[in-house]
C-alpha cells in the first residue's frame, strides 16, 4: 500500500489520488482495469452528467430535505467525493467497495478533499441491505459490466420517490450480440438489429422494471442515454403494488423489426413476419422537464471538464424527449432494405416536418431520426428522397 495515491488528477471540483495510472498505459491508451483501483477518465462525462442529474433530482423532488446518496461500487471514491463536494442539499454520502485497496483509496480521497464521505468495505448488496432504516433517496450503481446482480438490493434500499442511477457496460449482451447471456441476465430475447443501441436502453429498463415490480415498486425513466461504451439511466422509484401492475401493463412489451423496409416498431409490428425483441420497456425513456433541468445544471457549471460534450448530448436528448413514445428509425437501415441510396438526414427531417410531423435527430445514431410519423411514413420519405417512387 506504500504507493497508494501516487498520482493526483483533477476531476470536477475534486483532486483524486489514483494508483498505478502510468503502468496502465498500453500503446498510448489507458487500460483502467489494469490499475489496482479502477479509475477511468473516459467516464468523466458520465460523472459530470451525474452531478447535474442528481442536482436536478434534489431540486425538483426533494428540495426540503438533505438527500442521502449511496454509491456501493466506488473504486477511487471519485463519484462520491464529487457528490459531496459539488451538490447542494446532500445529507450523508455513503461509498462502498468489495476491494480493501479501493476502500483505503476512497478514504484517502474523501479526507484529501475535506468531505465527509462514509466509506465502507463489503459486497455492494450487503451494504445496500444493511441500510434498512436509513432513508436513502439516491443509489448509484456503477459496476464493471452488468448492473443486474445489484438491482434487487438497490431497489430495496431506495426510499419512496427516490432515484436509481445505473451504468451498464455489457453492451454486447444488451445490444443482442450475445443472445443466451441476454436471456439469462436480462430475461429478454434480443438480437442485433440496426436499432440495437435503443434496444439496449429499453432492455435494461425493462429488466429493472420487472425486478422493481417483484418488490411492489414501479420505476419511471427520468433520463436515459447511450454513450461510447455504456448505457446510463436515471429512474424514479415509487412504491405500490397497483403502480407496479399498471407499469407492467402499460410499459412492458416488445419491439419489432421489419427486415422488409428496415423499420422498427414499438408495441405493434407494422409488417408480416417481423423479428420480435423483448420483453422490454416500451414507454418513454425521458421526462422532458428532468432533461431540461439536467441540461441547465450542466450549463450553470462552467468547471465541468466535459461540459461541451454533455451539452451537445443533452441538447439532442432534449429534442428526443419532446417527441413522446416512439422508437428511432435508421435512414441507412431503411435505404439498404429498400435497396435505394441513402438520403441525407437533414433532408429527411425537413421533409417530415414539411408534411406536418415532428422530427428530430437522435443521439442513438448519426443516421437516425425520431419522429411522430408512422415508421412506414418515414420509410416512404426515405424512398422518395432517394429518387425511388
Ligand atoms: C467500474 S468500478 C467503479 C467506478 C466508480 N464508480 C467510478 O465512477 O469511478 C467497479 C468497482 O466495483 C467494485 N466491485 C466489484 N464487485 C463488487 C461487489 N460485489 N460489491 C462491491 N464492490 C464491487 C470493484 O472493486 C471496482 O472498484
Amino acid at each position: 500500500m506504500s504507493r497508494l495515491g501516487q498520482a493526483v488528477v483533477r476531476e470536477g471540483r475534486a483532486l483524486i489520488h489514483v494508483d498505478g495510472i502510468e503502468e496502465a498505459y498500453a500503446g498510448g491508451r489507458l487500460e483502467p482495469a489494469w490499475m489496482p483501483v479502477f479509475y477511468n477518465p473516459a467516464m468523466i462525462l458520465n460523472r459530470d452528467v451525474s452531478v447535474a442529474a442528481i442536482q436536478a433530482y434534489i431540486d425538483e423532488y426533494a428540495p426540503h430535505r438533505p438527500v442521502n446518496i449511496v454509491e456501493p461500487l466506488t473504486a477511487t471514491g471519485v463519484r462520491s467525493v464529487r457528490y459531496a463536494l459539488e451538490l447542494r442539499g446532500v445529507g450523508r454520502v455513503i461509498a462502498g467497495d468489495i476491494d480493501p485497496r479501493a476502500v483505503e483509496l476512497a478514504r484517502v480521497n474523501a479526507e484529501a478533499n475535506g468531505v465527509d464521505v462514509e466509506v465502507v468495505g463489503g459486497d455492494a448488496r450487503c451494504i445496500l441491505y444493511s441500510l434498512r432504516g436509513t432513508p436513502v433517496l439516491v443509489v448509484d450503481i456503477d459496476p464493471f459490466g452488468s448492473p443486474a446482480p445489484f438491482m434487487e438490493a438497490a431497489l430495496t434500499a431506495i426510499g419512496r420517490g427516490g432515484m436509481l442511477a445505473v451504468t451498464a457496460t455489457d453492451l454486447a449482451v444488451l445490444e443482442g450480440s450475445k443472445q443466451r447471456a441476454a436471456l439469462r441476465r436480462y430475461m429478454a430475447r434480443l438480437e442485433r438489429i440496426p436499432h440495437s443501441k435503443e434496444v439496449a436502453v429499453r432492455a435494461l429498463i425493462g429488466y429493472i422494471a420487472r425486478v422493481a415490480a417483484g418488490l411492489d415498486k414501479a420505476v419511471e425513466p427520468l433520463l436515459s442515454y447511450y454513450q461510447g461504451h455504456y448505457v446510463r439511466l436515471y429512474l424514479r422509484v415509487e412504491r405500490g403494488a397497483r403502480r407496479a401492475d399498471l407499469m407492467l401493463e402499460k410499459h412492458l412489451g416488445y419491439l419489432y423489426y421489419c427486415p422488409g423496409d428496415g423499420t422498427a416498431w414499438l408495441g405493434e409490428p407494422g409488417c408480416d413476419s417481423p423479428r420480435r425483441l423483448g420483453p422490454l420497456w416500451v414507454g418513454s425513456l425521458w421526462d422532458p422537464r428532468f432533461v431540461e433541468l439536467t441540461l441547465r445544471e450542466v450549463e450553470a457549471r462552467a468547471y465541468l471538464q466535459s461540459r461541451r460534450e454533455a451539452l451537445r448530448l443533452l441538447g439532442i436528448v432534449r429534442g428526443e424527449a419532446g417527441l413522446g413514445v416512439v422508437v428511432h428509425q435508421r435512414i441507412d437501415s431503411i435505404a439498404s432494405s429498400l435497396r435505394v441510396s441513402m438520403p441525407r438526414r437533414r433532408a429527411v427531417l425537413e421533409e417530415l416536418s414539411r408534411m406536418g410531423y415532428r422530427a428530430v435527430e437522435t443521439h442513438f445514431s448519426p443516421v437516425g431520426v425520431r419522429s411522430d410519423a408512422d415508421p412506414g411514413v418515414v420509410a416512404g420519405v426515405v424512398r422518395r428522397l432517394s429518387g425511388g417512387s
Side-chain angles (χ1 to χ4, degrees):
M1 279 297 163
S2 58
R3 296 178 328 128
L4 242 188
Q6 60 176 318
V8 177
V9 295
R10 174 177 287 284
E11 184 182 314
R13 292 227 184 278
L15 286 175
I16 297 296
H17 294 253
V18 294
D19 200 10
I21 196 162
E22 287 85 3
E23 293 89 330
Y25 275 95
R29 249 191 77 195
L30 181 68
E31 289 292 343
W34 291 1
M35 297 167 71
V37 178
F38 186 94
Y39 173 77
N40 191 356
M43 291 300 246
I44 293 179
L45 172 74
N46 181 313
R47 290 185 284 268
D48 281 354
V49 171
S50 206
V51 166
I54 297 177
Q55 191 67 67
Y57 168 78
I58 293 174
D59 293 351
E60 183 72 358
Y61 294 110
H64 303 303
R65 42 187 173 168
V67 168
N68 297 334
I69 302 177
V70 182
E71 193 223 345
L73 299 107
T74 199
T76 60
V78 55
R79 213 172 263 272
S80 289
V81 167
R82 290 193 57 189
Y83 294 161
L85 269 178
E86 297 173 35
L87 293 173
R88 302 177 302 271
V90 171
R92 293 169 65 189
V93 179
I94 302 167
D97 205 286
I98 202 163
D99 181 345
R101 293 171 302 179
V103 171
E104 193 181 340
L105 190 55
R107 285 192 181 131
V108 167
N109 279 321
E111 202 185 317
N113 284 277
V115 285
D116 188 14
V117 173
E118 301 163 46
V119 186
V120 285
D123 187 290
R125 287 158 285 206
C126 299
I127 295 170
L128 288 162
Y129 284 125
S130 73
L131 290 168
R132 272 180 183 235
T134 306
V136 171
L137 282 185
V138 177
V139 173
D140 190 339
I141 300 291
D142 182 58
F144 296 129
S146 173
F150 307 105
M151 289 299 93
E152 184 161 334
L155 287 160
T156 301
I158 294 176
R160 185 180 302 242
M163 182 169 78
L164 172 62
V166 183
T167 310
T169 61
D170 57 335
L171 296 181
V173 179
L174 283 167
E175 290 192 59
S177 296
K178 297 188 174 174
Q179 301 179 6
R180 279 202 223 170
L183 191 56
R184 207 167 59 231
R185 202 174 280 166
Y186 296 109
M187 293 177 222
R189 291 196 185 279
L190 304 178
E191 61 178 292
R192 197 146 186 117
I193 61 167
H195 314 74
S196 282
K197 292 191 162 96
E198 184 164 340
V199 169
V201 169
R202 292 187 177 281
L204 182 57
I205 302 175
Y207 171 76
I208 297 171
R210 281 174 288 162
V211 176
L215 300 167
D216 288 348
K217 293 187 173 186
V219 296
E220 177 202 349
L222 297 175
L223 169 63
S224 323
Y225 66 91
Y226 184 112
Q227 165 75 24
H229 67 289
Y230 65 89
V231 162
R232 179 79 169 158
L233 307 177
Y234 297 87
L235 307 172
R236 186 125 199 265
V237 182
E238 283 294 355
R239 282 201 198 150
R242 180 85 194 110
R243 274 205 183 100
D245 291 343
L246 278 175
M247 169 191 71
L248 293 181
E249 256 165 56
K250 278 184 72 179
H251 301 311
L252 209 70
Y254 292 88
L255 185 146
Y256 298 88
Y257 175 64
C258 292
D261 66 359
T263 52
W265 303 69
L266 273 187
E268 294 289 330
C271 61
D272 296 332
S273 6
R275 300 210 205 130
R276 192 180 83 153
L277 286 72
L280 37 70
W281 184 261
V282 295
S284 176
L285 302 179
W286 305 286
D287 173 334
R289 181 168 163 75
F290 189 83
V291 176
E292 180 65 40
L293 291 175
T294 304
L295 190 96
R296 279 193 221 155
E297 274 302 324
V298 173
E299 248 162 16
R301 292 168 187 264
Y303 67 89
L304 295 177
Q305 276 137 302
S306 76
R307 187 163 169 272
R308 265 180 57 191
E309 211 185 340
L311 286 177
R312 198 186 114 68
L313 170 71
L314 291 170
I316 298 175
V317 166
R318 171 171 59 185
E320 297 188 75
L323 267 174
V325 185
V326 291
V327 57
H328 81 276
Q329 303 298 332
R330 292 261 310 232
I331 300 170
D332 58 341
S333 149
I334 294 172
S336 80
S337 297
L338 297 178
R339 297 175 198 284
V340 298
S341 60
M342 195 173 100
R344 293 167 69 93
R345 172 157 78 175
R346 180 111 321 275
V348 175
L349 292 175
E350 280 171 11
E351 179 61 7
L352 284 166
S353 38
R354 199 193 56 76
M355 291 165 72
Y357 297 108
R358 289 188 300 153
V360 295
E361 55 185 358
T362 170
H363 80 284
F364 286 114
S365 164
V367 288
V369 298
R370 193 176 292 277
S371 171
D372 56 3
D374 187 85
V377 170
V378 179
V381 166
V382 170
R383 184 199 297 272
R384 243 190 356 269
L385 290 177
S386 71
S389 53

